[in-house]
Amino acid sequence: MAFHGWKQFLFLGRQNAFAKAWRSRKGSPSLGWKRCCHWSAGKSLDPEMRAFLEENTEITSSGNLTPEIQLRLLTPRCRFWHEKLDLWPYGDPFWAIYWPGGQALSRYILDNPCVVKGRSVLDLGSGCGATAIAAVMSGASQVLANDIDPIAGMAMILNCELNHLNPFPITIKNIINSEVGNWDLIVLGDMFYDEQLADGLHHWLRKCIRIRQTKVLIGDPGRHEFLRHRIHSQLHKIVEYSLPESTRQENNGLTSSIVWSYQPSNSLESC
């Protein structure tokens, strides 16, 4: 199966494998800014892994909502776009796709830097790291990127280099249901595709808001699983972006992506 075909298959339902991975990694009892970091500024990559990622991804800034950000992604010009999936030597490369919810979040932060400026930001399920990069570019005081795939962490370091940024702290622990950290803002995109994972997110995000008054922004292009989940009734629509044609084609024709605020008892404050 070519990677492009795998990508369509993933969009239609294979996300369960990723959801199970999130559920299988238990949250640690305490996740502060320093202790949870698997990588941090100055951390070097294994030369062989760096070479593999550089050889099998393409640097691109086109076909998405944020041309200001360069990313290493799997594209039709990459070998594994066409190779059989079982030849890819690591876990499924979710990080190598710039999903539409993440695109919307990144675009919104770049257009509205006051949302993150001087604030601590957690990018949950960071993937390629684009939204964390947007937060750094927009003046966030601290950024922590979280993804359970260690290869995603390595790819984020490369993407920071591409954008002339020092790598931000990265954790590969499953922090859902862990102790609430002292973040001003949590951003997450494209994560409400599995009911059990969505329930866990809903509970934990609500806890963050209740204990720390954390603000939460969610990016999603309107997937069925997200729209039908009970969290949807507690969201406030902030902005909707029309997706570029290439992103539409790669996501079964979804035409737009929305940034939502989840603040059950408070409206989103203006910048």
Side-chain angles (χ1 to χ4, degrees):
M1 180 184 294
F3 182 81
H4 183 69
W6 169 83
K7 183 177 178 182
Q8 298 297 329
F9 187 45
L10 169 65
F11 179 85
L12 290 171
R14 196 167 176 232
Q15 305 99 318
N16 287 336
F18 191 49
K20 289 177 181 177
W22 272 95
R23 294 195 291 267
S24 68
R25 300 195 182 190
K26 304 301 182 183
S28 62
S30 179
L31 292 168
W33 282 101
K34 300 298 182 183
R35 285 190 290 170
C36 67
C37 300
H38 189 82
W39 285 285
S40 58
K43 179 72 173 181
S44 60
L45 293 182
D46 174 78
E48 290 186 9
M49 177 56 69
R50 174 185 287 272
F52 176 85
L53 293 175
E54 291 178 343
E55 180 182 350
N56 291 289
T57 57
E58 180 186 16
I59 298 172
T60 181
S61 61
S62 62
N64 59 62
L65 292 172
T66 58
E68 305 95 320
I69 299 176
Q70 294 193 84
L71 299 169
R72 283 196 168 275
L73 302 173
L74 279 167
T75 73
R77 286 174 289 278
C78 297
R79 168 193 169 194
F80 281 101
W81 188 272
H82 308 284
E83 291 277 11
K84 294 180 178 180
L85 176 60
D86 56 11
L87 295 179
W88 179 263
Y90 304 104
D92 292 343
F94 294 83
W95 56 267
I97 301 168
Y98 194 6
W99 299 99
Q103 290 189 33
L105 283 169
S106 302
R107 181 73 268 158
Y108 177 69
I109 289 171
L110 290 172
D111 289 344
N112 301 275
C114 59
V115 171
V116 301
K117 189 173 183 179
R119 297 179 179 179
S120 57
V121 180
L122 169 65
D123 183 11
L124 187 64
S126 191
C128 66
T131 304
I133 288 171
V136 173
M137 288 180 167
S138 298
S141 61
Q142 291 178 303
V143 174
L144 174 63
N146 168 237
D147 198 293
I148 62 169
D149 185 350
I151 309 301
M154 299 175 193
M156 282 186 246
I157 293 176
L158 293 180
N159 288 334
C160 284
E161 292 177 2
L162 284 177
N163 294 280
H164 309 291
L165 301 174
N166 291 326
F168 34 71
I170 300 165
T171 175
I172 58 171
K173 297 178 180 178
N174 178 5
I175 66 175
I176 299 172
N177 296 326
S178 69
E179 180 180 331
V180 173
N182 191 26
W183 303 295
D184 297 318
L185 174 68
I186 296 174
V187 293
L188 62 154
D190 309 282
M191 291 190 70
F192 285 82
Y193 48 70
D194 171 87
E195 185 175 1
Q196 188 173 348
L197 174 59
D199 288 345
L201 282 168
H202 187 195
H203 173 78
W204 188 71
L205 293 172
R206 187 170 52 194
K207 183 178 178 181
C208 292
I209 293 171
R210 184 180 71 252
I211 295 176
R212 299 289 188 180
Q213 290 74 56
T214 306
K215 297 187 181 300
V216 176
L217 296 178
I218 299 171
D220 194 273
R223 296 187 181 91
H224 177 68
E225 294 83 0
F226 176 65
L227 296 177
R228 72 179 183 182
H229 194 271
R230 63 182 183 278
I231 194 175
H232 196 263
S233 64
Q234 302 174 49
L235 300 179
H236 169 71
K237 180 178 176 180
I238 299 176
V239 63
E240 182 170 0
Y241 297 101
S242 179
L243 292 170
E245 182 59 32
S246 59
T247 301
R248 296 185 185 194
Q249 292 176 4
E250 293 171 2
N251 288 273
N252 278 19
L254 290 172
T255 59
S256 65
S257 191
I258 298 173
V259 175
W260 304 86
S261 169
Y262 176 41
Q263 295 189 21
S265 59
N266 299 295
S267 60
L268 183 70
E269 67 179 43
S270 59
C271 296

